[in-house]
């Protein structure tokens, strides 16, 4: 069984921060990669980042570079997404998903259910 469960979403004021967590099970995080995505109703799914579990190295979409950072704790089988300086445009459902590598040649095969982030004043 492969499973990913997001948590940490909620309401935050503009300029605030949130840290999302993605707890994974059924596979060794150190041998896979976990991406973060978000979706707003009426818009396409947006890729945010991908963390390579073997190294903890992450790559980021231009839209979130400098504001979001993804880290991991392999012992806890958890990937985090620290989100800073949030704005209304960041309101979305946030998902984590599993891939073999952080490479476009590899698909994200398993997805979490998502956690909602709302940026409100």
């Amino acid at each position: 069984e492969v499973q990913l469960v997001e948590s940490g979403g909620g309401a935050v004021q503009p300029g605030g921060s949130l840290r999302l967590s993605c707890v994974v099970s059924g596979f060794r995080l150190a041998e896979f990669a976990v991406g973060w995505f978000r979706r707003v109703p009426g818009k396409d799914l947006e890729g945010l980042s991908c963390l390579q579990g073997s190294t903890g190295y992450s790559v980021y979409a231009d839209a979130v570079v400098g504001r979001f950072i993804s880290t991991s704790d392999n012992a806890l089988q958890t990937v985090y997404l620290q989100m800073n300086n949030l704005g209304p445009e960041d309101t979305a459902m946030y998902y984590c998903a599993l891939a073999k590598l952080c490479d476009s040649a590899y698909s994200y095969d398993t997805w979490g259910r998502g956690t909602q982030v709302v940026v409100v004043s």
Side-chain angles (χ1 to χ4, degrees):
E1 180 184 20
V2 176
Q3 190 173 77
L4 301 90
V5 180
E6 305 94 337
S7 64
V12 63
Q13 293 183 337
S17 299
L18 286 173
R19 189 175 78 157
L20 307 182
S21 297
C22 175
V23 178
V24 306
S25 59
F27 64 96
R28 292 182 60 189
L29 176 58
E31 297 179 358
F32 290 87
V34 173
W36 286 97
F37 301 80
R38 67 185 179 190
R39 184 162 60 192
V40 177
K43 295 185 177 181
D44 293 335
L45 185 70
E46 181 183 11
L48 304 175
S49 66
C50 185
L51 179 145
Q52 190 65 245
S54 62
T55 63
Y57 176 78
S58 294
V59 293
Y60 301 92
D62 290 343
V64 301
V65 166
R67 294 194 301 124
F68 292 9
I69 183 167
S70 184
T71 57
S72 61
D73 187 329
N74 287 349
L76 296 179
Q77 290 277 107
T78 302
V79 179
Y80 306 96
L81 184 67
Q82 178 68 43
M83 306 186 296
N84 300 315
N85 194 24
L86 290 164
E89 69 276 10
D90 297 311
T91 295
M93 185 72 76
Y94 285 73
Y95 302 89
C96 58
L98 174 69
K100 182 61 178 177
L101 292 172
C102 293
D103 189 292
S104 61
Y106 296 87
S107 63
Y108 289 91
D109 302 312
T110 306
W111 294 70
R113 301 298 187 188
T115 185
Q116 181 69 51
V117 172
V118 180
V119 184
V120 295
S121 61

